[in-house]
Amino acid sequence: MSLDRSDVEKIAHLARLAVSESELEAVAGDLSNILNLVEQMSSADTVGVTPMAHPLHMAQRLREDQVTETDQREHFQSTAPATENGLYLVPRVIE
Amino acid sequence: MHDKSIVQLAAGLRSGEFSSVDLTQAFLDRIGRYDGILNSFITVAEQSALKSAEEADQRLRSGTATPLTGIPIAHKDIFCSDGVKTSCGSRMLDNFIAPYDATVVTRFKQAGAVMLGKTNMDEFAMGSSNETSYYGPVRNPWDQASVPGGSSGGSAAAVAARLCVAATGTDTGGSIRQPAALCGLTGLKPTYGRVSRYGMIAFASSLDQGGPLTRSAADAAAMLQVMAGFDPRDSTSADRSVPDYSGSLEDEIAGLRIGLPKEYFGEGLDPAVARSVEQAVDEYRRLGAELKEISLPNSALAIPTYYVVAPAECSSNLARFDGVRFGYRCDDPKDLEDLYKRSRGEGFGAEVKRRILIGTYALSAGYYDAYYLKAQQIRKLISDDFRSAFEQVDVVMGPTAPGTAFAIGEKADDPISMYLSDIYTIAANLAGLPAVSIPVAPVGGKPVGLQIIGNYFQEGRLLNAAHRFQQVTEWHLARPELFYKEDKP
């Protein structure tokens, strides 16, 4: 499996990750090498094998639908890059 | 003072031989003296450490102390610690002061342990050499030109150089055991779900597990006793009682059935490392254990499978770093998409980006079955290999890593060769099993680790087997001399 520059551009867009023009070639090479390693999986016969989603085959635990956390908005927003009136600020989305 | 075990230190604190403030100051002094060479700490929390030490001394006087009260430890910088920078080794979180404590941190606080600081690590725990850290590589105390292993490389180097008594780490594919092996320590990855992941910054959620890095199995037992247990805040936390790990250290091991997987002693293993491991296994035979060659036929598939599962889960977990709510934000974003892309592009390092991209690709439309689903199926096969093995034997033994500590820079530009250093450790994560690495005879002056893998929730048995070995050998007592000059008064 080999990826080219345009594949990397597409994946990087899906991941919302800036990859510069100058890095594209090298990244494509690295990712292709990793996919070649991963390709070894095809040697395994997995017909009828149940995929393992959890090491202990446990079901996700559910809790009562009750409020357990207190409101700490200001505390948690103190680490945010930009906030105003309790809201997170981002560049204008709607003109 | 800095060479004593947790049990010895606890006794010294109780007899009044020294106070926790003395002890804490002694370790802070050692960090000040030696960490310029090692770079094992990202943050040294001097003031809060001394304050905790004073509180610990009060607790010792009032008789409410636990075995860990007043003991100076360090946390891997992946565990959120309230009011203290928690970087995860990344530029992305260089400005992040955690607003809450991880459960592991809370438990050590409740036990009265003193946190000296936060240790260096591969960025977001992705690496096997500690070279992907935004804060620069950590040096191996045994050979400063070599890596300490990773991703818990800072914790390993700090414990090995006696800059703290013990440290926490996390292990997604070997990140506790491999640095323990390369630095001559005891490093335990517990059963998946044994230690809470709440507040432990997620890399691959179905594989991540916290555990201790210590100088002995007895210390590891004391540390795990604090770390282990059910946590309602972690939905994958195991709701079952925690045994007395220190209490079972001395159990008899005569008759212990040890499985030696032939796949762990084949091509790719340094012959000198193989000899060390075989010597150690022979010691177990002298202790009355029974050896049996076994097969884990799907072993070769562990690395390929891991490099689908781990990146896929990482691409999903690391989506939270978007430059909006916390962490790094790029300058002058022109729109929201630019903000996301450049904050992430500038905030993450090369290895993290590679894994996010691989994971995104593996989970993208049309590829899910071929990659993620296939990997989850092979995971079942690998897990079944162990299931059959544990019908015949009690524990599985082999090397922790295929070689000794490699030179800084040696594998940094070759991701694949770096990935192969986790060839023997990854399977335990995929299967969710507990495993410990303990030091055996070194090769060329560098430590070597023996890995012992156990069945689910058999941490007590692993520590028992490790402790019994350490009672009749002295490899775990070896110390890097440079960092061991007795402190001048």
Side-chain angles (χ1 to χ4, degrees):
Chain A
M1 189 70 210
S2 167
L3 298 180
D4 61 24
R5 294 168 63 101
S6 72
D7 294 322
V8 174
E9 281 177 326
K10 264 183 255 164
I11 302 164
H13 174 67
L14 287 174
R16 299 296 186 271
L17 199 58
V19 179
S20 70
E21 273 295 311
S22 60
E23 293 171 300
L24 280 176
E25 202 69 47
V27 172
D30 285 341
L31 298 189
S32 300
N33 287 339
I34 297 171
L35 289 174
N36 284 332
L37 173 78
V38 161
E39 210 59 37
Q40 293 170 22
M41 292 197 311
S42 59
S43 69
D45 179 5
T46 51
V47 177
V49 176
T50 315
M52 177 170 152
H54 188 290
L56 301 170
H57 316 290
M58 284 195 325
Q60 201 85 327
R61 198 175 52 249
L62 299 176
R63 63 167 174 81
E64 292 299 310
D65 185 18
Q66 285 169 346
V67 177
T68 55
E69 299 294 327
T70 51
D71 181 4
Q72 301 185 64
R73 179 189 290 250
E74 275 181 39
H75 182 47
F76 290 133
Q77 285 197 332
S78 65
T79 56
T83 58
E84 194 178 295
N85 299 328
L87 303 172
Y88 294 99
L89 293 188
V90 295
R92 184 177 293 277
V93 179
I94 304 162
E95 290 300 329
Chain B
M1 201 144 67
H2 51 261
D3 211 34
K4 288 187 157 73
S5 71
I6 290 177
V7 169
Q8 288 168 334
L9 290 171
L13 287 168
R14 278 160 183 75
S15 71
E17 191 187 331
F18 43 79
S19 68
S20 176
V21 170
D22 297 338
L23 196 57
T24 300
Q25 191 59 57
F27 279 102
L28 288 170
D29 290 348
R30 287 184 64 77
I31 293 170
R33 185 174 320 154
Y34 296 122
D35 208 42
I37 306 171
L38 291 176
N39 195 29
S40 66
F41 279 84
I42 290 173
T43 301
V44 180
E46 184 162 354
Q47 305 218 325
S48 70
L50 288 168
K51 187 166 166 285
S52 317
E54 281 170 22
E55 289 164 10
D57 283 330
Q58 278 172 14
R59 218 170 138 175
L60 284 153
R61 281 192 294 272
S62 70
T64 56
T66 77
L68 262 290
T69 302
I71 306 289
I73 61 162
H75 288 304
K76 184 177 184 178
D77 209 18
I78 198 169
F79 290 100
C80 284
S81 47
D82 195 5
V84 178
K85 174 165 137 175
T86 300
S87 73
C88 223
S90 181
R91 182 186 193 191
M92 181 59 87
L93 291 176
D94 183 48
N95 63 3
F96 182 64
I97 308 295
Y100 71 105
D101 279 329
T103 296
V104 163
V105 173
T106 303
R107 282 172 168 272
F108 278 108
K109 276 187 181 172
Q110 285 167 348
V114 173
M115 183 186 88
L116 294 169
K118 309 291 292 291
T119 56
N120 204 340
M121 55 182 284
D122 279 300
E123 184 178 10
F124 284 102
M126 299 175 198
S128 308
S129 67
N130 216 111
E131 290 167 293
T132 72
S133 170
Y134 176 60
Y135 302 92
V138 174
R139 294 181 182 278
N140 189 314
W142 293 92
D143 172 18
Q144 291 162 48
S146 293
V147 303
S151 67
S152 312
S155 288
V159 176
R162 279 69 170 163
L163 304 189
C164 56
V165 178
T168 55
T170 58
D171 191 315
T172 303
S175 282
I176 289 174
R177 290 161 287 157
Q178 183 256 15
L182 271 44
C183 289
L185 300 176
T186 300
L188 174 73
K189 180 202 96 73
T191 307
Y192 182 77
R194 180 74 293 185
V195 170
S196 169
R197 293 186 296 112
Y198 179 76
M200 190 177 105
I201 298 170
F203 158 18
S205 302
S206 76
L207 307 168
D208 297 342
Q209 184 61 198
L213 286 124
T214 57
R215 284 187 276 109
S216 68
D219 280 1
M223 290 284 285
L224 183 62
Q225 204 70 50
V226 175
M227 298 176 83
F230 176 63
D231 179 9
R233 287 180 145 156
D234 170 1
S235 66
T236 57
S237 171
D239 190 0
R240 50 190 289 163
S241 63
V242 178
D244 176 6
Y245 297 116
S246 301
S248 58
L249 287 172
E250 303 278 339
D251 286 0
E252 189 53 61
I253 63 160
L256 182 77
R257 296 170 302 165
I258 297 173
L260 303 168
K262 60 175 198 266
E263 293 81 3
Y264 284 27
F265 292 88
E267 202 189 331
L269 177 61
D270 178 335
V273 168
R275 276 194 297 279
S276 269
V277 169
E278 282 157 8
Q279 249 175 44
V281 168
D282 214 42
E283 191 67 53
Y284 275 102
R285 191 182 47 75
R286 281 194 289 276
L287 287 167
E290 294 165 20
L291 310 182
K292 187 178 165 73
E293 187 183 280
I294 59 164
S295 176
L296 300 169
N298 292 294
S299 293
L301 294 166
I303 285 186
T305 303
Y306 179 85
Y307 280 97
V308 172
V309 175
E313 295 183 9
C314 116
S315 74
S316 167
N317 272 323
L318 271 58
R320 77 191 65 195
F321 299 103
D322 57 4
V324 174
R325 290 157 304 150
F326 49 82
Y328 179 81
R329 172 181 283 201
C330 66
D331 287 335
D332 304 321
K334 68 179 192 319
D335 55 28
L336 188 58
E337 188 172 301
D338 184 46
L339 181 151
Y340 290 150
K341 287 186 171 174
R342 279 201 295 122
S343 296
R344 290 162 61 76
E346 294 166 16
F348 292 135
E351 180 61 21
V352 172
K353 284 192 237 184
R354 268 196 287 277
R355 297 204 194 184
I356 290 174
L357 291 170
I358 284 290
T360 303
Y361 177 72
L363 292 177
S364 61
Y367 295 102
Y368 179 85
D369 284 5
Y371 290 107
Y372 197 72
L373 193 72
K374 178 89 179 175
Q376 295 288 65
Q377 288 176 310
I378 298 178
R379 213 174 154 177
K380 178 73 167 57
L381 298 178
I382 289 169
S383 164
D384 286 347
D385 282 356
F386 282 104
R387 190 185 310 275
S388 319
F390 288 126
E391 281 167 11
Q392 311 164 56
V393 298
D394 301 311
V395 296
V396 169
M397 286 190 189
T400 305
T404 56
F406 44 92
I408 292 173
E410 185 183 324
K411 299 184 182 183
D413 297 327
D414 183 358
I416 304 290
S417 83
M418 185 74 82
Y419 296 172
L420 293 176
S421 55
D422 292 331
I423 190 161
Y424 305 123
T425 47
I426 278 177
N429 298 84
L430 291 170
L433 294 164
V436 66
S437 178
I438 58 171
V440 297
V443 168
K446 292 182 185 181
V448 172
L450 168 76
Q451 181 177 220
I452 317 174
I453 307 172
N455 212 339
Y456 297 107
F457 298 101
Q458 295 287 304
E459 289 81 3
R461 179 166 242 169
L462 295 182
L463 291 170
N464 162 227
H467 179 70
R468 282 295 191 176
F469 180 83
Q470 291 177 348
Q471 283 180 317
V472 295
T473 57
E474 294 192 333
W475 307 120
H476 66 294
L477 301 176
R479 54 211 187 190
E481 288 304 325
L482 173 63
F483 304 94
Y484 191 70
K485 290 173 198 134
E486 205 43 68
D487 294 14
K488 298 279 181 292

